[in-house]
Amino acid sequence: MVKRINDFLAGLPMTMIGGIFLILSFALPRAGFTLPVDPAWITVVICGIPLLYLAIWRVIYNKGISKISSALLICIAMAAAIAIGDLFAAGEVVFIMEIGAILEDMTTDRAKKGLKKLIGLAPLKGRRITDSEEEMIGADQIRCGDILRILPGETIPADGTILNGETSVDQSVMTGESLPVDKIPGDDVFCGTLNCFGSMDIKVTKAGEDSSLQKLIRMVQDAEEKRAPMQRIADRAASLLVPAALLIAVAAGIATRDIVRAVTVLVVFCPCALVLATPTAVMAAIGQATKHGVIIKSGEALEKMGRIDTIAFDKTGTLTYGRPEVSDILSFDDAIGESDLLALAASAEAKSEHPLGKAITAHAKKQNIRLQEASAFQMHSGKGISADIQGKTLYLGSKRYIEQNGIPLSARVKENLSSLQTQGKASVLIADKSRCIGLIALSDVLRPEAKAMAERLCAMHTDVVLLTGDNQKTADHLAAQAGIRTVKAELLPEDKVDCIRKLQAEGHSVCMIGDGVNDAPALKTAQVGAAMGAMGSDIAVEAADIALMGDDLSRIPYLKRLSDATAFTIRLSITLSMCINFIAVTCSVLGLLTPTTGALVHNAGSCFVVLIAALLYDRKFE
């Protein structure tokens, strides 16, 4: 009951009501109106009770010197001002303190729905094979050693090894790879990944809490629990401010034999401007970032971003667009031009559901190439397709698929295939019944702003690292295009986390930028996590501290500069507030200020801090 009342009074509506009564307390007497009860009493009750509750709670539950907080000093000043009858001064200090608390809460609240969405990916059922019979069982009943059958379009319910069947598996949830991975007997598959095409039987190697997906969920949970809330600068300094204020107030009262001077010292010493310095600057910076399509979820993220010296990027969907596009068309038949080869391949792939086939067909349509009707279309999961075009049978697929159909590959074909693989490109060979007539290569497309972004970060003395689940050749090729020197490839989610922890152990402050479910643990482990918000998964966005809603990598250097400026503004505001406090305390001891005028000076300092922060909102960082 007490906490509910406290939370109600500490809310924004009641605090604003308290502010209105504080204004009435100041304005009505100067306008010639006298009320039987000073309106400032309402402010003291509304804004003072939450602070008193906080001060008492910290005295009871905090350990050591942390029992003494800025809230305790505010309460002492409020009580002293009430004791000498200066209700306006009492109401003013508690009102300003409450405004600071509300602003801070507004900047540090963050959504935590991402974990629920991650848990929602876990399959609920699996198809177990026993004595050649199939039975649907709950995922919690699956055990190591069980044989499971996974049909096309189904989510794999446990980690396992393929016993029979060939298919392609979309395992972007685990590795972030942009394309489905072809799987054959003996290959491993992961829980939570999607079987795209062929049917397969797997032997379970890890089930339930031991599966890869559950491990991913636990990593996000653990990282979430390790994240400490931002501690207010005023409370960090309270261990010195409170004893100093009390000592100076007592000394001033004894030396001057004037209790009013002692109370004035307590009023002006209240660290309201100090409390406002951080949340107001953070609010302005968050507003500034929002205008540029960057959503910052907490002031803590801004504070930490200013100290970042290493930024780690995921590849697929972050540095790249996350979709395959045709990059090379090579004809091995002088009678067939590139356009003719593309027309044949696109016509054959028109009925395919494979991402590579769709990309080839889309590229042909974009080139306004007229497609021919294909017949006898057959799809061979994890290998390729065959189709008849104008009575001529064509085979399109991997090197293994072409060779399995008895079609020899010349040295020229193998040389080009090897060269494209070195560049990290996926290749689709095109052959008739006797020879390979051409090759179409596809690759993920690097975002055009990626290279300039990496160069600007390096100029800001910030290291850039690539962490990806893709193969080493693909990663190296793309990193070279983007101007990134440090590359870590073929990483599972836990490997990315380990890489970040290793960097942190070496003394680096790391920001992780990613877009997929598999990036969530790394986003949480890094000091700051940033997600590509427009195309990125909801889970990655929820796990991150920052979301780039426009998927614009050029916002990263902007974000770094904004964070640096915010940190500088906070330090400047704190320094100025301390200087104002020092001057005000000196004037109070000398008797130049009363509790009321001291409260006004103190309030002016708070307004000055807010003004400095407001200038941050319209500052240009381009």
Side-chain angles (χ1 to χ4, degrees), residues 27-41:
L28 290 180
R30 287 158 180 77
F33 294 97
T34 303
L35 297 178
V37 178
D38 192 329
W41 271 115

Side-chain angles (χ1 to χ4, degrees), residues 336-359:
I336 302 176
E338 290 186 2
S339 296
D340 295 332
L341 183 65
L342 178 61
L344 288 172
S347 298
E349 294 279 12
K351 298 179 181 180
S352 173
E353 291 299 317
H354 196 283
L356 294 183
K358 287 184 175 181

Side-chain angles (χ1 to χ4, degrees), residues 339-547:
S339 296
D340 295 332
L341 183 65
L342 178 61
L344 288 172
S347 298
E349 294 279 12
K351 298 179 181 180
S352 173
E353 291 299 317
H354 196 283
L356 294 183
K358 287 184 175 181
I360 292 173
T361 303
H363 184 72
K365 290 180 178 179
K366 189 176 180 180
Q367 302 293 323
N368 295 317
I369 292 177
R370 186 175 179 179
L371 304 185
Q372 302 176 51
E373 184 67 27
S375 60
F377 174 85
Q378 286 187 322
M379 184 167 188
H380 306 275
S381 298
K383 298 178 181 179
I385 66 161
S386 63
D388 290 349
I389 306 293
Q390 294 183 336
K392 184 177 182 179
T393 302
L394 294 178
Y395 300 91
L396 287 83
S398 65
K399 174 186 175 183
R400 181 165 58 91
Y401 175 63
I402 299 299
E403 290 178 332
Q404 281 179 352
N405 282 279
I407 303 168
L409 298 180
S410 67
R412 180 186 175 190
V413 173
K414 293 179 179 179
E415 182 181 346
N416 280 278
L417 191 61
S418 176
S419 175
L420 292 168
Q421 288 175 338
T422 301
Q423 298 175 38
K425 297 178 180 180
S427 299
V428 176
L429 295 172
I430 305 148
D432 57 24
K433 289 187 176 181
S434 61
R435 62 200 172 95
C436 180
I437 61 175
L439 179 157
I440 295 180
L442 302 95
S443 66
D444 202 353
V445 181
L446 183 71
R447 294 179 187 272
E449 69 272 17
K451 185 175 179 61
M453 176 272 301
E455 291 174 349
R456 290 164 70 185
L457 287 175
C458 290
M460 297 167 67
H461 307 291
T462 303
D463 295 332
V464 180
V465 180
L466 176 61
L467 305 179
T468 179
D470 270 353
N471 66 72
Q472 190 70 50
K473 290 182 178 180
T474 300
D476 288 340
H477 179 71
L478 184 130
Q481 289 182 297
I484 298 175
R485 297 179 182 177
T486 306
V487 181
K488 303 291 184 182
E490 301 177 13
L491 303 177
L492 290 173
E494 57 263 36
D495 299 325
K496 291 184 180 181
V497 170
D498 290 341
C499 287
I500 290 174
R501 285 177 177 163
K502 184 177 180 181
L503 288 168
Q504 291 170 334
E506 294 171 354
H508 295 285
S509 186
V510 184
C511 171
M512 174 68 193
I513 300 176
D515 78 307
V517 174
N518 61 296
D519 297 320
L523 291 171
K524 281 294 185 182
T525 302
Q527 276 86 352
V528 177
M532 306 294 281
M535 291 181 63
S537 73
D538 290 342
I539 294 164
V541 173
E542 295 291 353
D545 305 290
I546 298 168

Side-chain angles (χ1 to χ4, degrees), residues 302-369:
L302 265 177
E303 182 183 4
K304 291 182 176 180
M305 192 69 193
R307 299 194 295 269
I308 292 298
D309 59 22
T310 302
I311 298 183
F313 288 89
D314 173 51
K315 183 186 79 69
T316 305
T318 302
L319 288 177
T320 69
Y321 285 110
R323 60 177 183 268
E325 291 188 4
V326 173
S327 60
D328 303 86
I329 302 175
L330 303 178
S331 174
F332 304 128
D333 186 333
D334 294 337
I336 302 176
E338 290 186 2
S339 296
D340 295 332
L341 183 65
L342 178 61
L344 288 172
S347 298
E349 294 279 12
K351 298 179 181 180
S352 173
E353 291 299 317
H354 196 283
L356 294 183
K358 287 184 175 181
I360 292 173
T361 303
H363 184 72
K365 290 180 178 179
K366 189 176 180 180
Q367 302 293 323
N368 295 317
I369 292 177

